[in-house]
Amino acid sequence: MRSADSPLPEEHRERHRASNHANITKMSTDDSPTTDTAPTPRRTAVIALGGNALSPPGERSSIHDQFRHTRESLGLLVELALDGWDLCLVHGNGPQVGDELVRNETASDEVAPLPLGVLVAATAGWIGYMIQQSIQNALRQAGSDRSAVSIITQVKVGRDDPALAKPTKFIGHSIPDERAARLAAEGVAVKKDSHGAWRRVVGSPKPLAIPELEAIRAQLATGTIVVACGGGGVPVHRDAFLGWEGVDAVVDKDLAAAVLARDLGASLLLILTDIDAVYLDYGTPSQRALRTLEVADAERYDREGAFGEGSMAPKVRAAVDFVRATGGRAIITELSRGLEAVGGEAGTTITLENA
């Protein structure tokens, strides 16, 4: 059975609705028209899309490649937009911010390098541009006049977060052994990933709040699709004298999306990855997908180390944080099955309790 917030069948979609408020005209018993001014309930979804969707592993993606991948990744957003959802998209930037650091190195003799926090903001700008342009073009082709906008978003973190002193988040592409040794000698943190390849690692503090929350909420209220917390958002802390100050780190985009969804009061958090669902014993002959998962069970499995620290575990934790705080629904699935998952037919759905 289709849930109340699942996509409607194609023939019932309102393709030109710019927001979820509507006046419903109906006939009374004497056939005279009456107007019910009660607004249609708003449905807000926050969608987390990985930077690898735009720059896949193993591909040295040019900007033209990334535009192409962006266009290919937006079918789900267009379908949900046509179905009347208020949408906020959070994208990752792991490959892209790593490339920006390489540009820093290459051009360091010519121009002053930019700090990591500024590079996060830069990637949020140009990736946001790619996404909003591609969404606008796709919506026009589908007959919708809804708009899209990108907001460079700061994310509050703790200045004393221990993660800042223990770099663990992989960014960028793989690095040859010789270059990895040179970077390490220069004090740059590098580490081998699960595939045995050297990559940069940076601090990744826990996101606490979104300073631009009300600006995002105001745009959503107009029916505008918002790209926010790009690259996990630009990490900042509150200085007692100066106000907001940047932090050189990269926030996990799934955790940032969960905070944003929580504070917006979203009904759905959709985390898109390269695996169709959350699995137990993943990568073994006995692997099995978890189609539904209660928060208590998810936390128990996580304590037992069932999800993989560098891959699925942070996504499950983000989903659990959102569901526990709001009572909403979180889904983890691969991009190609996103629409099915929203309809309850794919992916892993995490709730407080299974119905």
Side-chain angles (χ1 to χ4, degrees):
M1 178 179 294
R2 182 177 59 85
S3 64
D5 55 0
S6 299
L8 298 173
E10 180 73 25
E11 63 270 24
H12 293 150
R13 289 209 180 100
E14 296 180 31
R15 287 191 170 271
H16 299 284
R17 182 164 58 183
S19 73
N20 291 317
H21 284 290
N23 290 331
I24 304 171
T25 301
K26 53 187 180 181
M27 302 301 291
S28 66
T29 53
D30 61 359
D31 291 333
S32 60
T34 62
T35 301
D36 179 359
T37 58
T40 301
R42 301 187 76 98
R43 298 172 300 164
T44 300
V46 173
I47 301 173
L49 178 69
N52 284 335
L54 312 183
S55 182
E59 176 182 295
R60 297 289 180 174
S61 302
S62 69
I63 192 64
H64 303 290
D65 294 325
Q66 293 189 62
F67 261 104
R68 174 169 52 83
H69 292 311
T70 299
R71 290 190 293 269
E72 292 169 350
S73 70
L74 296 180
L76 168 64
L77 272 79
V78 171
E79 290 297 319
L80 293 177
L82 295 175
D83 193 34
W85 284 79
D86 290 335
L87 296 174
C88 191
L89 177 67
V90 176
H91 63 80
N93 72 342
Q96 294 85 0
V97 78
D99 286 348
E100 293 292 349
L101 286 169
V102 173
R103 293 186 181 98
N104 256 2
E105 294 172 15
T106 303
S108 61
D109 291 339
E110 301 292 332
V111 294
L114 295 174
L116 179 58
V118 173
L119 295 178
V120 171
T123 59
W126 64 262
I127 296 174
Y129 156 66
M130 288 197 305
I131 292 172
Q132 77 178 48
Q133 183 187 90
S134 299
I135 290 175
Q136 289 168 341
N137 289 341
L139 287 172
R140 295 301 172 272
Q141 292 171 5
S144 171
D145 61 358
R146 290 184 68 174
S147 187
V149 68
S150 300
I151 296 178
I152 305 299
T153 314
Q154 301 172 102
V155 173
K156 180 183 177 182
V157 302
R159 190 68 185 92
D160 57 353
D161 190 313
L164 291 170
K166 298 178 180 178
T168 58
K169 183 170 181 60
F170 290 104
I171 62 170
H173 300 281
S174 61
I175 301 171
D177 290 350
E178 182 179 337
R179 182 158 162 255
R182 187 179 76 249
L183 289 173
E186 295 171 357
V188 176
V190 293
K191 183 180 177 181
K192 285 191 175 181
D193 63 16
S194 59
H195 301 291
W198 287 105
R199 293 173 64 194
R200 292 176 181 266
V201 286
V202 297
S204 187
K206 181 180 179 180
L208 303 174
I210 313 294
E212 284 77 26
L213 179 69
E214 293 309 315
I216 295 168
R217 193 192 307 276
Q219 289 295 320
L220 288 173
T222 69
T224 300
I225 297 165
V226 180
V227 183
C229 293
V234 185
V236 296
H237 73 100
R238 176 77 79 175
D239 182 89
F241 299 101
L242 299 174
W244 295 120
E245 283 284 293
V247 177
D248 288 329
V250 177
V251 174
D252 183 90
K253 66 104 178 32
D254 297 317
L255 293 177
V259 171
L260 179 59
R262 177 197 72 193
D263 293 351
L264 285 173
S267 58
L268 174 64
L269 172 64
L270 179 57
I271 298 176
L272 300 174
T273 181
D274 55 359
I275 301 173
D276 67 312
V278 178
Y279 282 81
L280 292 180
D281 302 322
Y282 183 72
T284 71
S286 60
Q287 72 176 27
R288 59 193 187 280
L290 300 170
R291 293 304 176 192
T292 59
L293 193 56
E294 294 185 9
V295 162
D297 290 332
E299 291 176 323
R300 175 170 57 84
Y301 287 136
D302 190 25
R303 287 193 301 270
E304 295 169 356
F307 298 132
E309 194 55 48
S311 54
M312 190 58 72
K315 301 179 189 304
V316 173
R317 289 171 196 152
V320 165
D321 287 349
F322 166 71
V323 172
R324 187 174 288 286
T326 67
R329 183 169 60 127
I331 299 172
I332 300 174
T333 192
E334 65 181 345
L335 176 61
S336 65
R337 306 203 66 186
L339 198 60
E340 295 174 78
V342 174
E345 298 172 358
T348 297
T349 297
I350 300 175
T351 56
L352 280 175
E353 294 181 354
N354 292 329

